[in-house]
Amino acid sequence: MQGISTIIPLILMFVLFYFLLIRPQQKRQKAVASMQNELKKGDKIVTIGGLHGFVDSIDDNKVVIKCGDGSRLTYDRSAIREVTEAGEGSVSLTK
C-alpha cells in the first residue's frame, strides 16, 4: 500500500507535464510542418530571421524568396516562420 502511495504523485506529475508541455509543443510542431509543406509560389512570408518577401520558387528543401528590391534569396524550407498572406498563383513584383 505504501509503494502505491509513492508512485501516484510521480504518475500525476508525468500526466501534468504531458498535458501542459509535451502535447502543446507537438501540436505547434505539426502546425509549422504543415505550413512549410503547403507553401506555394506567391505566398507572402516571414523568415525566422525577420526577412519579409514573396515565395518565388520552391524546391524539395529550398525556397527562393523575392524581396521588395527584386533580389532573390535562397533559404531552407525550415527557415520560414509564417505565411502572412496566401498567394494566388504567380505574383509579379516588377514596377
Side-chain angles (χ1 to χ4, degrees), residues 2-92:
Q2 188 173 350
I4 294 174
S5 64
T6 59
I7 293 176
I8 289 177
L10 292 174
I11 293 172
L12 289 174
M13 283 188 355
F14 177 74
V15 170
L16 185 69
F17 277 127
Y18 177 76
F19 283 108
L20 292 178
L21 299 173
I22 298 170
R23 190 168 174 226
Q25 181 65 26
Q26 287 175 343
K27 283 185 178 182
R28 269 182 259 144
Q29 287 175 340
K30 285 181 184 178
V32 168
S34 171
M35 177 270 305
Q36 290 173 349
N37 288 331
E38 294 173 2
L39 284 173
K40 59 186 176 299
K41 186 174 180 177
D43 286 349
K44 187 174 182 181
I45 54 98
V46 179
T47 66
I48 57 175
L51 177 79
H52 293 252
F54 292 92
V55 175
D56 191 46
S57 66
I58 301 173
D59 235 351
D60 287 337
N61 294 323
K62 295 183 182 178
V63 176
V64 177
I65 300 171
K66 189 170 184 182
C67 300
D69 63 352
S71 61
R72 289 179 171 83
L73 304 169
T74 303
Y75 279 84
D76 286 339
R77 205 180 263 251
S78 61
I80 307 300
R81 182 178 67 196
E82 67 179 309
V83 175
T84 58
E85 198 174 301
E88 301 188 19
S90 170
V91 172
S92 176

